[in-house]
Amino acid sequence: MPALTIRDVPDDQIQTLKIRAAQAGKSLQAFMQDLIAREVSKPTMAEMMERLNRETTARVSATDIVAAIDEGRAGR
């Protein structure tokens, strides 16, 4: 598994992360791995829009719609 190095992180931010890791009962490394895993599991807005487009695209023709309406009216 590749390593990830982040340079120039301010000391106060590192201290906050260490405190949060300790509060979660984790090492800083485990805490950061969880943080990264949570972030990459969330889809981006662009990914969500693509998914919505894919899932909401109707595959019904106007002819199908008119036929369904006519069928409904005939069943009254």
Side-chain angles (χ1 to χ4, degrees):
M1 183 181 308
L4 173 67
T5 302
I6 302 174
R7 290 178 171 58
D8 303 322
V9 179
D11 290 336
D12 61 326
Q13 291 178 1
I14 291 175
Q15 188 59 34
T16 299
L17 289 169
K18 286 181 179 180
I19 291 168
R20 290 181 183 175
Q23 289 171 338
K26 298 179 180 183
S27 67
L28 180 57
Q29 178 175 332
F31 184 79
M32 294 305 297
Q33 285 174 328
D34 288 348
L35 186 70
I36 291 168
R38 276 194 314 269
E39 182 60 31
V40 299
S41 70
K42 294 186 290 186
T44 65
M45 188 60 74
E47 291 167 337
M48 282 300 296
M49 293 303 295
E50 181 181 326
R51 179 179 169 190
L52 286 170
N53 260 349
R54 219 177 29 249
E55 292 179 2
T56 59
T57 301
R59 289 179 175 74
V60 180
S61 69
T63 305
D64 294 335
I65 294 169
V66 170
I69 292 170
D70 289 342
E71 184 179 316
R73 288 180 180 158
R76 288 185 190 174

